[in-house]
Each structure stands twice: as structure tokens, then as C-alpha cells.
Amino acid sequence: MLLIHSSFELNWSIFFGLEEREIVGSNKQMNSSSSLSQSPSATSKYTLLDKVPPLPSPQQHSCIVCSVTESNTKSILEHLLLAHNVVIADQNMIVDFPRYLWFWKQRIQSVTEKASKGGEFVPPISNFATLIHAHPTTAPKTEKVEKSDEDSGSSSTEKPKKANKTTSQPPVAYYLLGGGILSEDNQIRRELQQHKLDAILKQQQFERTDNTFARICLFCPVKFHGEGARVRLFYHMFQIHGFNIGQPDNLVDINELLDLLQSKIDALQCIYCEKTFKSPPVLKLHMRKKKHFKISPKNKIYDRFYVVNYLEMGKNWETIQKEEM
């Protein structure tokens, strides 16, 4: 359940076949969407990404229907749902979500402009999304319950009412984008995945041959510089200090990772459990005694520094590890 408004609650499972739903005109929409798609170019690696202008800002989350922009994923998803009844399936599996939104914004605008010039009906989001009728449930209401003087001294208090499962509200139309239904959406997600992986591998190769790197160990004054210094630094921290961060060859954006770890140490915060201590000696004693010279696998902030998390769409190191067991 996701609470999207104080008076409205939507059960997301209805979009994935777990509760009553009705899909309207899906075959018609898919045929229409296919006819609107342009033929891919054989010479371009990114046949869809290359057709749209560059993203104005890496953090710009653009509404695909109107001119609204937000700075984060949560806000734009809320806007799409409340303002346009648009739901994006498997959003957490999209590698570059701002660029995904930007693609669909340009795609819908180009088709709309083309149809307008021909004097045809301007196609809405339904040309690319599946229309679903879903029954929303009402959020729990509150009622005042009178208390006697023997109670806590309060004359009344708020008591929540349980939501009625069988609501009388009429079904609401939602537009579901994604979910493996539209081939064009599947393709843009794959291209974004590949585009990100290419950028990650390029950055990793640069870091392996970069001779300008210079850094002091996180736990002692030993300095490392020159080509291959990043790998030597991590091997040093593992062999001398027992700091285990995994294989250095699996790391990327190492400068940012080291900056993040250094900021935690400077704040007297344990890298693993993230508890704060009163002095550097106490912090080091804690990390050594508790064997906390490592990062927590539960902290998702570190996932972006590991190449394995970019290899397959919708999979991270945990998924791959489970498959290999």
C-alpha cells in the first residue's frame, strides 16, 4: 500500500494481477504504439537514445505529460500519479530514471506535434501506456471517542476506523507505462542499461591507467600515487589494516568512494554500523574489536561503486549471488 493523499490510498498490487483489474483496449493500443515507432537505425548503437536531445540536467526529473519538473524520483512519481494517473512499472529497475522520463517526454511530444500538423486527434499518453481500471480503497478515517474521567484525564481522543475493504467508489482509470508490454519501452530500458554500463567500464578503464591519482590511506599516513595506485591502496588497507571492501577490480568511481568513507571517519562514524564515537582512538578500537573494518552490505549507498551492479538489467550483487548459490 502506498499512501498518496490523506483521503486516498491505492493498492499497487492491482497493477500486477493480484487483485481485480480490467485492461481496456490493450491490443489496439499496442498496434497504435507500434505504428508510431520510428524504424531503428542500423548504424547507431542506441537507436532510441540518439533520437532525443541531451538531458538538460542529470537530476532533472521531467513529467512526461506536462511541463512540471522535480529534483527527485519520489516527487515526480507522486506528481505523475496524482496529476495524470500515470504509473511507471518496475521503476526501481530503471538505471537512469531522469533520462528515461526525458525520452518519453520527447517521444510523446514528437508524436503529438506530428498528429497536430496533420489535423488529426492529438494522441494522449494512452498511445504508449496500458489503460487499467482499478478500484481505490479509502484511507482510514478518524472518529472521536469519549472517555470517562477515570481515564488519562483527556475528554476525547482520536481513534482510527478501519478502511472498508468493499468500497463503493467507482473504478479509476490509470495509465501503466512499462511492465514488459510495449516493445519500445523494453528497448529504451535496455539501452539505458547498456549506456550506463559503457560509461562505467570507460570510467573504470581510466582509473586503472590514471597516473595523477594521489591519496593517503584512510587509517595511516602512507601515501599512494601514480598508475595503479588505487588498487595498491586497497590492497594495503586490506593487508595492513584488515579493511575488506571486496575485489578492487570490481570498483568504480573510487575517488568518490574514498571521499565518502573519509567523511564518515572524519565524523567519527563507524563505516560498518555507522555508530558515532567521541574520539578517533575510540572509533578505531571499536572497529578493530568488533571487526568493523568493512562496509555494510545492507547500506545501498555503496552499490553504485561496484561494477557488478550494472551488468544485468534489474539485478544487483545480491540477486547474482543468490543465482550462483
Side-chain angles (χ1 to χ4, degrees):
M1 294 281 193
L2 175 63
L3 188 65
I4 59 173
H5 193 271
S6 59
S7 61
F8 182 74
E9 194 178 51
L10 179 66
N11 189 340
W12 290 95
S13 62
I14 56 180
F15 294 118
F16 305 103
L18 300 181
E19 288 191 8
E20 179 184 4
R21 72 174 186 175
E22 180 184 0
I23 300 179
V24 181
S26 58
N27 291 333
K28 180 180 178 181
Q29 291 167 11
M30 294 306 103
N31 292 335
S32 175
S33 299
S34 299
S35 65
L36 292 173
S37 302
Q38 300 177 17
S39 58
S41 172
T43 59
S44 175
K45 185 175 182 180
Y46 305 111
T47 56
L48 295 182
L49 281 178
D50 289 346
K51 293 178 181 178
V52 298
L55 184 67
S57 169
Q59 298 303 319
Q60 177 176 310
H61 293 66
S62 305
C63 176
I64 63 177
V65 180
C66 68
S67 60
V68 168
T69 60
E70 298 286 354
S71 60
N72 60 79
T73 299
K74 181 180 178 181
S75 297
I76 196 64
L77 288 176
E78 192 172 273
H79 166 78
L80 284 168
L81 182 62
L82 296 176
H84 308 293
N85 285 11
V86 173
V87 178
I88 298 178
D90 300 321
Q91 174 273 322
N92 59 311
M93 294 185 181
I94 302 173
V95 172
D96 191 343
F97 191 54
R99 196 180 296 271
Y100 173 86
L101 293 171
W102 182 247
F103 166 79
W104 276 116
K105 183 178 185 66
Q106 303 303 314
R107 181 76 177 94
I108 292 171
Q109 283 183 351
S110 66
V111 174
T112 302
E113 291 171 1
K114 183 178 179 181
S116 299
K117 290 179 181 178
E120 303 172 9
F121 173 71
V122 178
I125 181 67
S126 58
N127 282 274
F128 302 96
T130 302
L131 183 62
I132 294 179
H133 286 170
H135 288 276
T137 59
T138 55
K141 297 180 180 179
T142 60
E143 63 175 0
K144 287 195 173 183
V145 179
E146 296 297 328
K147 285 189 174 183
S148 63
D149 295 337
E150 297 176 357
D151 292 330
S152 59
S154 175
S155 59
S156 64
T157 185
E158 297 284 333
K159 183 179 180 181
K161 274 186 177 180
K162 291 184 178 179
N164 188 0
K165 292 183 180 180
T166 58
T167 178
S168 59
Q169 293 186 25
V172 178
Y174 295 96
Y175 297 100
L176 178 65
L177 183 60
I181 300 174
L182 182 64
S183 60
E184 189 172 5
D185 185 79
N186 295 336
Q187 183 177 345
I188 189 60
R189 293 181 186 228
R190 287 194 298 268
E191 287 191 18
L192 287 170
Q193 174 75 25
Q194 187 61 49
H195 186 269
K196 185 64 176 180
L197 178 59
D198 289 345
I200 288 295
L201 294 177
K202 182 178 180 181
Q203 175 64 20
Q204 187 185 51
Q205 182 59 33
F206 165 76
E207 292 178 355
R208 287 175 176 174
T209 58
D210 177 30
N211 59 9
T212 64
F213 177 83
R215 195 91 187 200
I216 297 175
C217 172
L218 293 172
F219 310 107
C220 74
V222 177
K223 186 176 183 179
F224 296 83
H225 57 85
E227 185 175 339
R230 291 173 174 84
V231 174
R232 296 199 309 272
L233 169 59
F234 281 110
Y235 276 129
H236 162 82
M237 291 193 292
F238 174 71
Q239 294 172 348
I240 303 301
H241 306 287
F243 181 60
N244 187 7
I245 201 170
Q247 289 293 333
D249 287 341
N250 189 32
L251 296 173
V252 70
D253 290 330
I254 292 177
N255 283 356
E256 293 181 35
L257 173 59
L258 291 171
D259 288 342
L260 176 60
L261 296 173
Q262 187 66 61
S263 67
K264 290 183 176 294
I265 294 174
D266 292 343
L268 302 179
Q269 190 177 54
C270 175
I271 293 173
Y272 182 79
C273 69
E274 300 187 338
K275 291 181 180 178
T276 303
F277 297 86
K278 61 182 180 180
S279 66
V282 176
L283 170 61
K284 290 183 179 180
L285 178 63
H286 159 82
M287 294 178 65
R288 189 176 296 110
K289 186 176 180 180
K290 297 290 186 179
K291 296 182 180 180
H292 282 186
F293 275 91
K294 55 186 175 181
I295 63 174
S296 174
K298 296 180 181 180
N299 193 337
K300 302 302 181 184
I301 195 174
Y302 297 111
D303 284 1
R304 66 188 185 93
F305 300 111
Y306 289 85
V307 177
V308 68
N309 292 313
Y310 299 96
L311 297 180
E312 296 185 58
M313 186 169 63
K315 294 184 179 181
N316 61 6
W317 66 271
E318 291 177 301
T319 309
I320 296 172
Q321 190 178 63
K322 289 179 181 178
E323 291 178 350
E324 295 176 348
M325 294 178 66

